[in-house]
Amino acid sequence: MQHTPMDQDAPGADEFVDETVTAEGEGDEIRVTDIVFDCPHCGHNLAIDYRGAGLQINCVACGEPVLVPIPDGMKIDDLDLSSGELLTQLFQTRRLLLKNEQHIAELEETLNSVKTRRTELEKSRMVTLHRCAEVVNLCQTVLKLQNETVLTVNRMIALIAEEQQR
Ligand SMILES: [Zn+2]
């Protein structure tokens, strides 16, 4: 990755561009406030000071003119703010982004647990249905046995009656 630092006190857009173009090779560290993106022409990874947002620079790798993207939530008007104010805004935006990402992760977790619970409930319902069918079968068996018992007892009574009449 190539870092293209800018003069911290540079006030004008022209200076940003000049600094960016001529600063090639100076330092490799990417600051948290840098805008990091890939050159649309050659794909070279570029890290530009946040104050370069929306400006046209020349890619340090292929030399083609490249428009520095403006990060989400950053307004060009913000560039008129002091770097301290801007940093505060940037960090607030990042914190918000992080919070939103965490919230999304939480929602996905909830969704997954709801899906799991639903599957469990469906399984448990199937088990209940099977058990109900089993209990109905048992009841029918009891009724059948009762009928047979009644028939058998009646036959026994008839046999006894026959014996008594002899
Ligand atoms: Zn390039």
Side-chain angles (χ1 to χ4, degrees), residues 11-152:
D14 290 344
E15 286 184 48
F16 283 133
V17 177
D18 289 341
E19 282 289 327
T20 308
V21 173
T22 58
E24 178 178 357
E26 284 179 22
D28 286 307
E29 264 183 54
I30 295 170
R31 287 183 294 257
V32 288
T33 54
D34 282 347
I35 298 167
V36 179
F37 65 103
D38 292 333
C39 169
H41 304 289
C42 71
H44 187 81
N45 196 253
L46 299 166
I48 308 295
D49 188 279
Y50 64 88
R51 286 169 299 167
L55 298 182
Q56 182 175 291
I57 60 156
N58 290 328
C59 173
V60 294
C62 67
E64 291 289 324
V66 173
L67 212 58
V68 179
I70 300 165
D72 286 344
M74 185 188 196
K75 299 180 203 86
I76 278 298
D77 291 349
D78 292 345
L79 295 173
D80 295 333
L81 298 174
S82 77
S83 56
E85 287 171 316
L86 191 62
L87 267 181
T88 306
Q89 274 201 10
L90 193 66
F91 287 135
Q92 277 173 351
T93 304
R94 283 183 185 215
R95 264 199 294 276
L96 203 67
L97 192 68
L98 194 70
K99 244 173 96 180
N100 284 341
E101 278 169 0
Q102 282 168 349
H103 190 55
I104 288 171
E106 278 169 19
L107 285 178
E108 277 171 354
E109 216 172 284
T110 307
L111 183 68
N112 280 337
S113 83
V114 166
K115 277 184 187 166
T116 307
R117 182 86 189 109
R118 204 184 126 188
T119 309
E120 279 169 8
L121 283 174
E122 275 169 4
K123 263 192 218 163
S124 127
R125 189 168 169 259
M126 287 310 289
V127 169
T128 303
L129 285 177
H130 274 111
R131 284 191 180 164
C132 285
E134 216 179 308
V135 170
V136 167
N137 274 339
L138 287 173
C139 288
Q140 284 167 345
T141 306
V142 168
L143 285 176
K144 217 172 121 190
L145 282 174
Q146 202 190 21
N147 282 341
E148 278 173 20
T149 305
V150 168
L151 286 175
T152 308

